[in-house]
Amino acid sequence: MSQYFEVHPENPQPRLLKQAALLLRSGGVLAVPTDSSYALVCHLDDKNAVDRLRRIRQVDERHHLTLLCADLSEVANYAKVDNQQYRLLKLATPGAFTFILDASKEVPRRVSHPSRKSIGLRVPQHPVIHGLLAAHGEPLLATTLILPGELDPLNDANVICQQLGHDLAGVIDAGACAAAPTTVIDLTPMRTGGAPEILREGAGDWRRLGLWRSCCYQSGRN
């Protein structure tokens, strides 16, 4: 059964976040709150944990997973970012956006898209996930906590425990989230002169980034 951590949404207790980080280091998958919805997270370099995360979501290796980073300085370590892409990232972060970028050599092949060699990255704006990232000491691999066959992410920590308690090492309860997935924007076309592609419209307002709906808008979920 998963461990249950009830933390303050604005001033999370460091002691509890350190305990949760230890579970990640031990190969556990956690359910955590973010500024968009609850997410599943695990240690980037743990193959078994990554496989378990995918099994819970029932997604294969072609489904883009996301790296949660503390700030843009970490993003540059895991993705190839040019000046034009960086300006968009700076406008959008921290916030409820996921950006698809070309993965750097620091990203294990098993977690990048197998054919495109790309990865989702985001810098969330939530005190709890920032505290967990600080306790863990490096980015976390994540995916929105949407159960197989459902359209909307889970938003109640008690419900998450009831439905996934035997699959998770821990659940961090900081109250309800926004219950909306991130807005997903593919920036990889920009490296060859193309326009960003909005793959999913979610909690992040893409209009404030100066993008237009003509930017190759596509329907999709992450």
Side-chain angles (χ1 to χ4, degrees):
M1 197 66 180
S2 58
Q3 286 187 238
Y4 188 82
F5 301 95
E6 189 171 0
V7 303
H8 193 280
E10 297 179 2
N11 297 291
Q13 301 89 322
R15 174 181 58 85
L16 297 179
L17 295 182
K18 287 179 182 178
Q19 292 175 13
L22 285 175
L23 294 178
L24 293 167
R25 288 287 177 184
S26 300
V29 176
L30 270 61
V32 301
T34 75
D35 51 336
S36 58
S37 67
Y38 271 84
L40 298 174
V41 299
C42 70
H43 185 47
L44 171 63
D45 291 323
D46 191 317
K47 180 182 183 301
N48 291 332
V50 174
D51 290 344
R52 191 175 305 114
L53 181 146
R54 282 197 169 108
R55 283 199 302 272
I56 295 171
R57 274 293 313 271
Q58 291 187 22
V59 294
D60 61 21
E61 62 180 8
R62 301 186 69 82
H63 179 89
H64 266 116
L65 299 177
T66 299
L67 277 178
L68 298 182
C69 299
D71 53 43
L72 285 183
S73 67
E74 288 190 337
V75 170
N77 293 330
Y78 295 93
K80 301 172 184 176
V81 182
D82 63 24
N83 291 337
Q84 191 177 12
Q85 290 170 326
Y86 185 81
R87 284 194 291 271
L88 266 180
L89 291 171
K90 196 170 181 180
L91 278 175
T93 57
F97 293 91
T98 297
F99 292 97
I100 308 300
L101 292 157
D102 292 312
S104 74
K105 293 181 180 179
E106 296 298 317
V107 177
R109 288 187 177 183
R110 64 177 176 273
V111 302
S112 62
H113 193 281
S115 60
R116 298 181 57 196
K117 301 299 182 287
S118 54
I119 187 74
L121 290 113
R122 68 172 297 220
V123 180
Q125 189 174 28
H126 194 289
V128 173
I129 194 63
H130 271 280
L132 184 62
L133 286 167
H136 185 61
E138 58 186 290
L140 290 168
L141 197 64
T143 185
T144 306
L145 208 176
I146 301 175
L147 291 180
E150 299 294 329
L151 295 177
D152 299 313
L154 291 180
N155 192 40
D156 186 303
N158 288 309
V159 173
I160 293 170
C161 278
Q162 292 169 11
Q163 298 197 34
L164 298 174
H166 294 289
D167 298 312
L168 300 174
V171 176
I172 298 180
D173 182 1
C177 297
T182 58
T183 292
V184 180
I185 304 175
D186 187 353
L187 299 186
T188 59
M190 297 176 70
R191 294 182 66 85
T192 54
E197 296 180 1
I198 302 169
L199 303 183
R200 180 180 70 192
E201 190 170 357
D205 184 1
W206 49 269
R207 297 166 189 82
R208 73 178 179 87
L209 306 183
L211 302 179
W212 301 92
R213 206 166 183 87
S214 59
C215 287
C216 305
Y217 184 90
Q218 297 182 7
S219 175
R221 302 198 68 85
N222 197 45

